Amino acid sequence: MLLLFCGNTRVIENEETRFVSHLLSQMTIEEKIGQLVQYSSKEELTGPRVSNKGIGIVSDVKKGSVGSFIYVDGAQRTQELQQLAVDSTRLGIPLLFGFDVLHGYKTMMPMPIAMASSWNEDLIKKCAQVSAKEAASSGLHWTFAPMIDVSRDARWGRIVESSGEDPYLNAVVAKATVEGLQGNSLADTLTIAACAKHFAGYGFAEAGIDYNTAEFSEQTLRDVVFPPFRAAVDAGVSTFMTAFNDIGGIPCTKNKDLFTTILRDEWGFDGFVVSDWNSIGELVVHGVAENKKEAAFLALDAGVDMDMEGRCYRNHLLSLFEQGSVTEEMINKSVERILKIKYRLGLFEDPYRYSSIQRETVGVYNEGTLAVSEDMARESIVLLKNENDILPIKTQNKKIAVIGPFANDKDVPLGTWRARAENYSAVSLLEGLESRLNGTKDIQFAEGCRVVNGEVHYKSLLDIEKNDRSGFTEAKRIANGADVVILAIGEHCYQSGEARSQTDISLKGLQQELFDEIYKVNKNIVVVLMNGRPLDITAINEKAMAVVETWFLGTRSGYAIADVLLGNYNPSGRLPISFPRHVGQQPLYYSKKNTGRPEKKGSTSIYQSNYKDNKTSPLYPFGYGLSYTTFSYSEISVNNSQFRKGESIKLSIKVSNDGFYDGTETVQLYVRDLIASITRPIKELKQFKQVDIKAGESKIVEFIITEDDLSFWHRQGGVYAEAGEFVMMIGPNSENHQTKTITYDI
Ligand code: NOJ
């Protein structure tokens, strides 16, 4: 064995280059190909099983025919496998261990759609730091996160993993997450490499059907899909993952424009690209490669460096090389990129540095990590409706009925992609309330209707009971005698997520009926939603006194919800995605075009771009969320109403807290380019600021506007702003603002 130690903890770039080229010069072609191969552990599959015919995983490790594993974790297990790789192979090149740590490893943070609802960049970063620390302590080097696909169709299950519909908000989350996961140095044993996924356009799967084709223009690709990925590159993300879908007939896994021309040549990305699960092999199924051998060629040629579970590189690259279709130069490039990341992680210095049984047990899943999750859970909650100020629950409301299939569920709040969280380890809503109230109120609980039992596993397809109404009587009985009813409904966490597309986004099973029955005996209903996508809640929204969106809030869910319901915390979350009135509105997003026949309020003409059987607007718009206090906005003042390229102007607005609670407001700035060379959205979020304002006080919020805020992509000349008038909109959400028109000159 010839292990090459770098010996110096300070990674200087040319040392890295020297080290990697020296190592590369000693590698055989077989060893090089081995670095491009990733296997999954046998027991855990997060995609369809791929044939292992003729493959011995252990013997492949010993031969140096594997560079990385997905779903092998734990200090001891990673240590053992690493030892096999290091001790048995000629050059002792360490393995890279990757895992889906989307929102926590042991301590579950809220799901990404929930974290995005906090609009709190610093806290998102902190959550990522905690997740990285826990994962790294269990021997992991790499996570397949952040998922930063702009997602606009609530039928698509993976919306729960995303940060919603807006490119700018997704970009803010991308930056914060990458910075949190990777820290200042990848070599730090408390950080791991991040992976920006899925490049690109996966969130645009047609009709919301997972893995489906995505059809959109290059303009949309550049202006809407790309910004979060560009932000991830600028934040130094180490890896990228390909998307399953095709765009314009080209499956992303063979898209050279994406992975070579744009990502590397235009954006300067210097990490490596991994395929998605068998997405190289699926090029055959897409019908763009005759066989897996051709698929291997196409993917490598496009710039995809590592084959996740596809076996295409493993089985075919050597013969492609021998027959001359793949050059050693092509293989070298990919190997170099992977070795660089291994080097940056410090694996050549000490291949076992992440696998620490001591760190794995101390410093994870403790009061500190749980407190971060709990903070984030509180900040992720969005108050959608609060009639007659039913919330926070008043002291005179002594009797509380807690009802619903999710009211005492200790599992659902953990969400999907729960890594190594223990099933059923969340604090349920009922537990949270009981703990916070500590016997001060009379709480009664009834399930009403149930989740249909199934194994709690990401492969399960659970549903809400459709026939059994036997729980209704008890639910009505306790509702009848209560001052307030808290009704926890929504969807099971495994009804959203990968491969969980739905045509019907209304409340499933008997939940609507349960609501209607309870409403007959008690009108003071506070609906607590648990769900991974915007649901059609139109019917309950009309009648419920309050609606509280909680998504899936992670380990400390129940405490956080209780704190909001009881007024220990003044809700500050804002929707990262529009809530529809009906599934027929999908895909629904605020940032639409004006069209030639926009909807006109008050007009009776039928020739308008709108629905004739329903409102066209969302039930709740992007950026929306209530507080227990109320905020008012002054007019916008501006230090100059026009500016030129290279200059900036300052917009200021006074935001006042007119209510009786201290609160946090998220002040949002939207921009519209009035006349341009191509049609532009009627508004686009360009900046936001979160401000804490005490009851009765005001704050001046300022935004500095530069060309960046007015720019869009041009086929010729790239991203720049065109001269002309722009409407600046500042307000509490995407539908409500003060406006000011400014002029930009070039
Ligand atoms: C498929 C998913 O699309 C991707 O997001 C995930 O990282 C991989 N499976 C590995 O689990």
Side-chain angles (χ1 to χ4, degrees):
M1 188 208 64
L2 212 161
L3 182 60
L4 298 161
F5 288 106
C6 147
N8 187 350
T9 35
R10 282 220 187 127
V11 179
I12 307 169
E13 213 190 312
N14 44 21
E15 266 184 32
E16 172 186 296
T17 315
R18 256 202 310 273
F19 178 88
V20 169
S21 0
H22 180 59
L23 179 53
L24 197 69
S25 70
Q26 298 174 74
M27 294 171 78
T28 63
I29 193 75
E30 288 85 355
E31 285 164 345
K32 289 177 182 176
I33 292 170
Q35 288 303 303
L36 315 187
V37 173
Q38 184 184 61
Y39 286 160
S40 170
S41 74
K42 269 197 241 140
E43 327 64 87
E44 255 172 293
L45 302 174
T46 53
R49 186 181 288 282
V50 181
S51 163
N52 271 338
K53 214 168 151 218
I55 295 180
I57 293 187
V58 170
S59 59
D60 269 10
V61 172
K62 285 187 179 167
K63 276 191 287 182
S65 305
V66 194
S68 172
F69 274 87
I70 165 176
Y71 279 84
V72 172
D73 63 331
Q76 194 175 338
R77 209 164 161 223
T78 49
Q79 160 104 23
E80 284 165 9
L81 200 55
Q82 193 68 295
Q83 193 152 5
L84 199 65
V86 170
D87 288 352
S88 322
T89 57
R90 199 175 65 89
L91 294 171
I93 300 174
L95 294 164
L96 190 65
F97 295 114
F99 205 95
D100 288 294
V101 180
L102 266 291
H103 62 117
Y105 181 68
K106 285 188 174 150
T107 304
M108 275 304 103
M109 307 296 163
M111 284 300 299
I113 191 82
M115 292 202 266
S117 305
S118 74
W119 297 51
N120 184 339
E121 203 177 338
D122 293 340
L123 195 51
I124 290 170
K125 187 168 165 179
K126 217 165 158 184
C127 288
Q129 276 163 351
V130 170
S131 306
K133 179 180 160 189
E134 291 196 342
S137 304
S138 288
L140 292 168
H141 312 133
W142 179 28
T143 174
F144 308 111
M147 188 280 212
I148 43 179
D149 297 312
V150 167
S151 313
R152 297 178 160 180
D153 194 325
R155 295 170 296 183
W156 192 52
R158 299 199 78 167
I159 221 161
V160 67
E161 291 172 52
S162 79
S163 296
E165 72 181 60
D166 186 66
Y168 179 75
L169 184 59
N170 266 279
V172 168
V173 174
K175 176 175 182 287
T177 311
V178 170
E179 287 177 355
L181 291 169
Q182 299 195 156
N184 294 327
S185 159
L186 272 193
D188 187 333
T189 48
L190 299 179
T191 63
I192 51 177
C195 178
K197 71 184 189 186
H198 308 82
F199 203 53
Y202 186 34
F204 283 73
E206 265 184 359
I209 303 173
D210 207 1
Y211 317 126
N212 204 4
T213 287
E215 271 308 338
F216 50 81
S217 66
E218 189 170 3
Q219 195 68 40
T220 301
L221 184 70
R222 296 275 180 169
D223 287 342
V224 180
V225 174
F226 278 175
F229 290 98
R230 183 63 210 253
V233 171
D234 292 345
V237 72
S238 300
T239 70
F240 259 62
M241 187 186 287
T242 69
F244 283 125
N245 56 285
D246 74 307
I247 311 170
I250 306 179
C252 295
T253 303
K254 62 152 263 185
N255 193 325
K256 199 167 182 169
D257 279 348
L258 277 183
F259 290 100
T260 299
T261 317
I262 295 166
L263 182 60
R264 294 197 165 101
D265 300 348
E266 247 182 63
W267 297 357
F269 171 68
D270 83 332
F272 73 85
V273 173
V274 63
S275 76
D276 202 342
W277 185 281
N278 190 29
S279 67
I280 301 181
E282 287 171 10
L283 292 177
V284 179
V285 192
H286 273 285
V288 292
E290 212 172 309
N291 48 40
K292 292 197 175 184
K293 188 169 174 182
E294 190 186 354
F297 170 80
L298 291 170
L300 191 76
D301 185 49
V304 178
D305 306 304
M306 188 181 279
D307 177 2
M308 179 193 284
E309 272 294 272
R311 315 280 187 264
C312 298
Y313 285 181
R314 186 218 181 254
N315 294 341
H316 303 291
L317 275 191
L318 187 60
S319 62
L320 283 165
F321 167 73
E322 283 166 352
Q323 78 190 37
S325 348
V326 157
T327 63
E328 185 149 13
E329 183 51 28
M330 284 165 82
I331 294 175
N332 282 353
K333 271 193 194 158
S334 291
V335 179
E336 245 172 48
R337 292 172 187 139
I338 293 166
L339 292 179
K340 267 191 196 169
I341 299 301
K342 290 187 176 182
Y343 181 92
R344 287 175 200 171
L345 284 159
L347 292 177
F348 290 106
E349 217 178 286
D350 174 6
Y352 310 107
R353 61 209 308 271
Y354 291 85
S355 311
S356 152
I357 292 182
Q358 196 265 342
R359 275 200 309 273
E360 188 178 42
T361 40
V362 181
V364 301
Y365 199 76
N366 57 26
E367 225 5 84
T369 63
L370 290 165
V372 174
S373 165
E374 192 176 317
D375 279 349
M376 180 47 104
R378 272 189 288 267
E379 295 204 19
S380 302
I381 295 171
V382 188
L383 179 63
L384 296 176
K385 178 175 181 185
N386 191 17
E387 232 168 54
N388 299 345
D389 290 335
I390 185 170
L391 290 176
I393 290 168
K394 310 288 173 298
T395 40
Q396 65 270 24
N397 290 333
K398 287 276 182 241
K399 284 189 159 189
I400 303 180
V402 182
I403 300 175
F406 305 119
N408 196 25
D409 198 312
K410 291 178 65 58
D411 197 73
V412 160
L414 297 173
T416 177
W417 292 123
R418 55 179 66 177
R420 291 295 180 230
E422 208 176 295
N423 291 341
Y424 301 99
S425 61
V427 177
S428 76
L429 167 58
L430 180 66
E431 286 173 335
L433 280 167
E434 281 172 345
S435 147
R436 292 300 197 243
L437 288 168
N438 201 11
T440 57
K441 294 194 197 260
D442 172 7
I443 303 181
Q444 295 204 30
F445 162 69
E447 211 174 15
C449 61
R450 290 178 305 121
V451 172
V452 181
N453 279 336
E455 189 200 356
V456 172
H457 190 270
Y458 57 78
K459 283 191 207 128
S460 319
L461 284 171
L462 300 175
D463 204 355
I464 316 290
E465 178 59 56
K466 294 188 172 72
N467 302 309
D468 182 0
R469 293 172 178 78
S470 58
F472 279 24
T473 317
E474 175 62 2
K476 279 173 84 173
R477 187 191 67 77
I478 67 166
N480 196 17
D483 296 312
V484 56
V485 176
I486 297 171
L487 183 62
I489 49 180
E491 59 179 358
H492 191 278
C493 64
Y494 290 126
Q495 288 181 303
S496 57
E498 186 178 347
R500 303 300 199 276
S501 300
Q502 308 263 2
T503 56
D504 180 4
I505 57 169
S506 60
L507 290 165
K508 294 251 189 323
L510 296 173
Q511 297 183 101
Q512 181 69 49
E513 213 176 305
L514 177 67
F515 177 92
D516 293 335
E517 284 301 305
I518 290 168
Y519 188 75
K520 286 180 191 158
V521 297
N522 194 330
K523 307 270 183 284
N524 291 335
I525 304 178
V526 173
V527 168
V528 171
L529 288 174
M530 295 190 195
N531 48 310
R533 51 159 62 82
L535 293 175
D536 168 0
I537 53 161
T538 305
I540 59 141
N541 187 65
E542 257 169 43
K543 293 179 179 165
M545 293 276 264
V547 180
V548 185
E549 174 57 78
T550 73
W551 310 110
F552 303 122
L553 290 177
T555 312
R556 286 280 173 99
S557 175
Y559 294 146
I561 304 173
D563 282 338
V564 164
L565 298 181
L566 301 171
N568 304 336
Y569 181 81
N570 187 359
S572 56
R574 303 287 180 263
L575 290 178
I577 186 153
S578 309
F579 254 64
R581 296 172 191 278
H582 191 278
V583 68
Q585 292 176 294
Q586 298 301 321
L588 177 66
Y589 54 96
Y590 77 91
S591 180
K592 57 186 186 180
K593 303 287 185 68
N594 203 38
T595 80
R597 294 180 179 182
E599 184 169 44
K600 275 200 197 108
K601 268 198 190 132
S603 163
T604 51
S605 165
I606 62 162
Y607 300 107
Q608 300 185 50
S609 178
N610 60 7
Y611 294 114
K612 299 298 183 277
D613 61 347
N614 207 332
K615 287 187 179 160
T616 308
S617 62
L619 182 66
Y620 291 113
F622 173 82
Y624 178 85
L626 299 172
S627 161
Y628 292 148
T629 192
T630 47
F631 296 102
S632 62
Y633 285 67
S634 72
E635 286 185 357
I636 302 173
S637 54
V638 57
N639 66 344
N640 199 343
S641 60
Q642 46 190 22
F643 75 114
R644 289 176 162 277
K645 196 176 178 65
E647 298 173 352
S648 63
I649 56 165
K650 187 162 78 184
L651 305 180
S652 320
I653 196 158
K654 186 160 111 183
V655 183
S656 306
N657 180 339
D658 303 326
F660 302 103
Y661 294 84
D662 298 347
T664 304
E665 175 67 326
T666 300
V667 184
Q668 301 161 36
L669 169 90
Y670 297 84
V671 172
R672 177 173 183 186
D673 188 343
L674 279 177
I675 310 285
S677 55
I678 57 167
T679 57
R680 301 295 302 138
I682 52 169
K683 56 190 82 161
E684 290 175 288
L685 180 72
K686 290 296 176 182
Q687 297 186 40
F688 62 85
K689 294 226 165 115
Q690 243 173 8
V691 278
D692 297 329
I693 312 180
K694 294 211 175 314
E697 294 188 359
S698 305
K699 276 195 178 157
I700 305 288
V701 179
E702 293 177 346
F703 293 100
I704 306 292
I705 309 298
T706 66
E707 185 192 359
D708 272 2
D709 300 298
L710 317 178
S711 299
F712 59 92
W713 179 77
H714 297 75
R715 187 166 292 282
Q716 253 87 46
V719 177
Y720 63 86
E722 295 179 5
E725 285 191 329
F726 293 81
V727 185
M728 302 284 129
M729 295 161 256
I730 302 179
N733 60 58
S734 61
E735 278 190 355
N736 177 2
H737 7 73
Q738 304 291 324
T739 60
K740 191 81 171 184
T741 303
I742 59 157
T743 308
Y744 172 75
D745 212 344
I746 39 181

